[in-house]
């Protein structure tokens, strides 16, 4: 790159010297002639400019043979200059020059850079534009001529994140960078050295990790889908049996979210029947038996029953199910299961089908519009709520605890899961199972209800039991077990016991997630 710049510099200097030499030759050839109109260097310079720009006023003309020769050179140079200027303008307009110039005028706005253009990136960009009027959408590739231009303002610039950041010059908010292809951060050349740039990075992954370094965050489309599913279709008190067909990426995340957030009562006994290969899942989560009944239905606790045989053989089970969730990774296979269930089986419960294809009369979930939203991908509201839970928790206990910045990824996820259960807490407090959105008004009403009812010690105890059950599920899901003293390396915790075995202070710790309702209305 430096060598190329040096060559351009030498060429420019050479052309400039040639031009100056021609002007001086023209002057020396002309000023001796008595009929010459070009008598000074300024006259020669003016003639050269008029000729090179093809204006041709005719006020000055060479009269000597040698002057005519120099004039011919200037005429030939004028054609080359025009072609060069025209090519430069066309190149500037059709390349990155013009978009980068336009970006320069919008430095104070919020920049969102997508490494590639695709269906997921397009959906997220469109949702960002709807929510952020000061957004500037940048796709880091040239627009394909066959591509239909998006319905929102955006720029297609084949430029690296480093070049975009340099163009922003640290003005306004940090640029947000999105890598929307699965596990793209390991192979995409645009992801190199992102951790060194003053940006926020959101990379799609399947490895289950949420954080890499200070500015790099991961998101999981399967987990986003599961979160959105249970938010829009939460567990209801009348549901005691749920069937999950398909245990790939989507099915696993649907079950994980159910384990971590589907706690609505201390007396619930929901049976989850899962069809698919669960050997790896059970081997990985080998402490689930401490909070679930595995392999058989229970009347006192939730159950996880995994079936190796085909779902088609369980007519009676499908008939009794309150809800059937079809969540195969292969969408056409899911539709095939859906049609077969409707055609050949007697069903009493609802069927929810994972599909990005919308169809009337079908209860589908997991469309791109639902999954790829700013709040889902960047988890803005969820993360803020988790930080607030940690702050409330720190104020409620007598022993020293860590700030959000000092927590490791596991304990951050613990707070995030607690925040994820807030919608369920609101439904419990307001006794309204139709609530599917977390709003400031709902949170305020629920908090008032919490303050009114917790005066009854039995009710306060019930609230604490519910959150303790949620907490137990989280820790056993990550293979923690009981220990007399807390040992993070050994994954042991003294609170991993029955609620009756907790101390008064340990029971009081369970209030933090409920108390959050009093503060969350401010941020919604």
């Amino acid at each position: 790159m430096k060598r190329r710049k040096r060559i351009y510099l030498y060429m420019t200097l050479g052309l400039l010297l040639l031009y100056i030499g021609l002007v001086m030759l023209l002057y020396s050839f002309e000023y001796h002639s008595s009929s010459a109109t070009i008598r000074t260097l300024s006259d020669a310079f003016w003639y050269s400019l008029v000729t090179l720009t093809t204006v041709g006023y005719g006020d000055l003309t060479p009269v000597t043979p040698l002057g005519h020769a120099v004039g011919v050179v200037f005429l030939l140079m004028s054609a080359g200059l025009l072609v060069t200027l025209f090519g430069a303008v066309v190149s500037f307009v059709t390349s990155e020059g013009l978009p980068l110039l336009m970006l320069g005028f919008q430095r104070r706005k919020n920049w969102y850079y997508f490494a590639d253009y695709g269906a997921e990136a397009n959906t997220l960009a469109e949702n960002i534009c709807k929510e952020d009027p000061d957004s500037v959408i940048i796709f880091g590739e040239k627009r394909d001529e066959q591509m239909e231009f998006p319905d929102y303002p955006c720029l297609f610039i084949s430029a690296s994140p480093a070049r975009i950041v340099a163009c922003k010059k640290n003005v306004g908010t940090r640029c947000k960078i999105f890598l929307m292809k699965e596990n793209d951060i390991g192979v995409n050349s645009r992801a190199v050295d992102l951790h060194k740039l003053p940006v926020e990075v959101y990379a799609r992954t399947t490895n289950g990790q949420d954080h890499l370094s200070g500015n790099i965050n991961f998101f999981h489309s399967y987990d986003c889908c599961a979160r959105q599913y249970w938010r829009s279709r939460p567990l209801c008190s009348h549901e005691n049996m749920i069937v999950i067909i398909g245990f790939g990426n989507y099915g696993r995340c649907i079950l994980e979210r159910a384990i971590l957030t589907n706690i609505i009562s201390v007396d619930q006994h929901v049976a989850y029947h899962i069809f698919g290969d669960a050997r790896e899942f059970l081997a990985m989560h080998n402490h689930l038996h401490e909070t679930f009944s595995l392999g058989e239905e229970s009347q006192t606790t939730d159950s996880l029953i995994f079936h190796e045989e085909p779902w088609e053989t369980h007519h009676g089970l499908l008939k009794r199910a309150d809800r059937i969730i079809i969540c195969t990774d292969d969408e056409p296979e899911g539709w095939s299961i859906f049609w077969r269930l409707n055609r050949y089986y007697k069903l009493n419960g609802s069927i929810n089908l994972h599909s990005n294809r919308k169809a009337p009369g079908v209860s589908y979930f997991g469309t791109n519009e639902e999954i790829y939203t700013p709040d889902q991908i960047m988890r803005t509201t969820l993360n803020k709520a988790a930080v607030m839970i940690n702050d409330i928790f720190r104020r409620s206990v007598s022993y020293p605890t860590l700030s959000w910045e000092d927590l490791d990824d596991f304990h951050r996820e613990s707070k995030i899961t607690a925040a994820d259960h807030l919608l369920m807490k609101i439904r419990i407090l307001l006794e309204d199972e139709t609530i599917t959105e977390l709003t400031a008004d709902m949170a305020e009403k629920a908090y008032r209800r919490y303050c009114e009812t917790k005066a009854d010690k039995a009710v306060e105890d019930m609230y604490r039991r519910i959150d303790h059950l949620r907490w137990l599920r989280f820790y056993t899901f990550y293979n923690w077990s009981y220990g007399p003293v807390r040992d993070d390396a050994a994954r042991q915790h003294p609170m991993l016991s029955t609620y009756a075995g907790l101390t008064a202070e340990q029971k009081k710790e369970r209030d933090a997630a409920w108390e959050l309702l009093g503060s969350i209305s401010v941020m919604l």
Side-chain angles (χ1 to χ4, degrees):
M1 184 63 71
K2 290 183 178 179
R3 183 181 178 185
R4 187 182 300 174
K5 287 183 178 179
R6 195 180 301 116
I7 292 172
Y8 288 156
L9 178 62
Y10 290 158
M11 290 177 62
T12 303
L13 288 174
L15 289 172
L16 183 61
L17 290 173
L18 175 63
Y19 170 68
I20 293 173
L22 288 171
V23 170
M24 295 183 69
L25 282 174
L26 179 63
Y27 162 69
S28 65
F29 293 153
E30 290 292 308
Y31 86 100
H32 290 297
S33 175
S34 59
S35 59
T37 57
I38 301 173
R39 293 189 170 278
T40 65
L41 275 173
S42 62
D43 289 340
F45 178 69
W46 174 249
Y47 169 77
S48 69
L49 288 180
V50 169
T51 304
L52 286 172
T53 57
T54 70
V55 175
Y57 287 121
D59 54 341
L60 299 174
T61 55
V63 294
T64 65
L66 291 175
H68 286 155
V70 174
V72 170
V73 174
F74 279 131
L75 286 170
L76 294 175
M77 288 178 67
S78 69
L81 181 64
L82 282 177
V83 170
T84 302
L85 288 173
F86 180 75
V89 170
V90 171
S91 176
F92 179 77
V93 171
T94 58
S95 68
E96 293 81 31
L98 183 60
L100 286 172
L101 179 65
M102 294 171 63
L103 274 179
F105 293 111
Q106 305 180 77
R107 291 191 179 100
R108 295 197 176 277
K109 292 190 174 184
N110 304 320
W111 291 13
Y112 301 87
Y113 173 95
F114 293 83
D116 301 284
Y117 181 85
E120 295 85 359
N122 177 57
T123 303
L124 178 57
E126 186 174 9
N127 284 327
I128 288 173
C129 283
K130 290 176 183 177
E131 296 185 17
D132 184 0
D134 288 328
S135 62
V136 177
I137 305 298
I138 307 159
F139 291 106
E141 63 179 8
K142 288 186 178 180
R143 179 172 170 264
D144 189 341
E145 292 182 0
Q146 305 298 321
M147 183 191 302
E148 184 177 346
F149 200 85
D151 294 330
Y152 48 86
C154 62
L155 296 170
F156 286 84
I157 308 176
S158 183
S160 67
R163 190 176 180 187
I164 296 298
V165 170
C167 183
K168 202 169 196 304
K169 296 182 177 179
N170 290 325
V171 177
T173 58
R174 280 187 167 195
C175 179
K176 294 180 174 60
I177 294 177
F178 298 92
L179 302 169
M180 301 298 291
K181 295 181 180 178
E182 287 184 353
N183 303 319
D184 208 18
I185 198 165
V187 296
N188 194 323
S189 60
R190 300 257 164 117
V192 176
D193 292 334
L194 285 179
H195 64 284
K196 298 179 181 178
L197 297 177
V199 296
E200 295 175 23
V201 182
Y202 297 90
R204 185 178 173 190
T205 185
T206 57
N207 66 8
Q209 192 175 8
D210 289 316
H211 196 67
L212 181 61
S213 69
N215 68 331
I216 297 180
N217 303 282
F218 292 111
F219 68 90
H220 322 269
S221 57
Y222 310 114
D223 191 52
C224 289
C225 176
R227 268 196 169 95
Q228 178 58 28
Y229 174 77
W230 288 115
R231 279 177 175 269
S232 60
R233 297 169 176 81
L235 179 70
C236 294
S237 57
H238 71 272
E239 294 181 303
N240 292 316
M241 183 185 292
I242 293 177
V243 171
I244 298 175
I245 300 178
F247 203 61
N249 290 313
Y250 286 106
R252 188 190 69 252
C253 287
I254 289 285
L255 181 62
E256 287 179 5
R257 284 296 123 200
I259 289 172
L260 298 176
T261 60
N262 281 359
I263 301 100
I264 59 177
S265 167
V266 293
D267 300 319
Q268 69 183 58
H269 48 90
V270 181
Y272 294 92
H273 288 265
I274 304 100
F275 289 90
D277 187 355
R279 287 172 296 179
E280 181 182 337
F281 179 86
L282 289 171
M284 188 180 304
H285 304 284
N286 64 341
H287 283 266
L288 285 175
H289 63 276
E290 297 178 16
T291 48
F292 286 88
S293 170
L294 296 184
E296 60 180 358
E297 293 187 17
S298 169
Q299 295 301 309
T300 58
T301 187
D302 285 0
S303 312
L304 300 177
I305 300 100
F306 295 91
H307 301 272
E308 295 183 0
E309 63 276 12
W311 61 267
E312 290 92 339
T313 62
H314 289 266
H315 286 255
L317 180 64
L318 296 169
K319 179 181 177 181
R320 291 189 295 118
D322 298 299
R323 184 191 310 203
I324 299 173
I325 307 171
I326 304 172
C327 46
T328 55
D329 287 350
D330 181 60
E331 192 170 315
E333 181 186 354
W335 276 98
S336 174
I337 294 170
F338 175 81
W339 293 123
R340 281 185 284 159
L341 277 172
N342 278 281
R343 179 175 295 180
Y344 301 113
Y345 291 78
K346 178 176 175 56
L347 306 174
N348 294 318
S350 60
I351 303 178
N352 300 153
L353 170 65
H354 169 254
S355 173
N356 196 38
R357 178 160 54 105
K358 303 175 183 178
V362 177
S363 177
Y364 53 83
F365 67 93
T367 64
N368 283 349
E369 291 78 10
E370 293 175 331
I371 296 174
Y372 297 106
T373 66
D375 201 45
Q376 280 270 51
I377 302 305
M378 294 182 275
R379 299 201 308 197
T380 309
T381 304
L382 194 60
N383 286 345
K384 284 182 179 179
V387 173
M388 293 174 70
I389 283 180
N390 192 60
D391 290 340
I392 294 171
F393 169 71
R394 295 183 72 196
R395 293 194 299 267
S396 67
V397 298
S398 58
Y399 52 87
T401 55
L402 298 176
S403 66
W404 180 261
E405 291 73 20
D406 296 327
L407 291 176
D408 60 25
D409 287 342
F410 171 77
H411 291 95
R412 284 190 179 189
E413 187 62 30
S414 172
K415 310 302 180 188
I416 289 171
T417 303
D420 220 11
H421 191 251
L422 282 175
L423 185 62
M424 198 67 80
K425 286 182 168 66
I426 291 175
R427 287 160 56 89
I428 292 168
L429 288 164
L430 299 182
E431 299 178 348
D432 186 349
E433 295 185 339
T434 64
I435 298 172
T436 57
E437 293 293 331
L438 185 63
T439 66
D441 182 55
M442 290 292 183
E444 188 177 349
K445 287 181 181 178
Y447 183 66
R448 286 202 304 266
R449 178 66 179 165
Y450 170 71
C451 293
E452 292 168 1
T453 54
K454 74 172 184 176
D456 185 327
K457 292 302 178 182
V459 175
E460 182 184 50
D461 210 48
M462 182 265 291
Y463 293 153
R464 291 175 175 176
R465 284 175 179 272
I466 287 175
D467 200 65
H468 181 60
L469 178 56
R470 179 204 60 76
W471 186 89
L472 281 177
R473 285 195 182 187
F474 177 83
Y475 273 79
T476 54
F477 181 79
Y478 286 99
N479 297 327
W480 284 60
S481 58
Y482 173 79
V485 295
R486 178 170 173 171
D487 185 343
D488 286 10
R491 298 201 172 213
Q492 292 184 342
H493 202 293
M495 288 180 63
L496 281 162
S497 68
T498 62
Y499 181 76
L502 300 179
T503 65
E505 184 176 27
Q506 287 173 337
K507 291 177 180 179
K508 190 174 184 297
E509 289 181 19
R510 303 275 57 87
D511 294 340
W514 297 92
E515 292 287 348
L516 176 64
L517 292 168
S519 306
I520 198 172
S521 59
V522 178
M523 56 179 268
L524 292 175

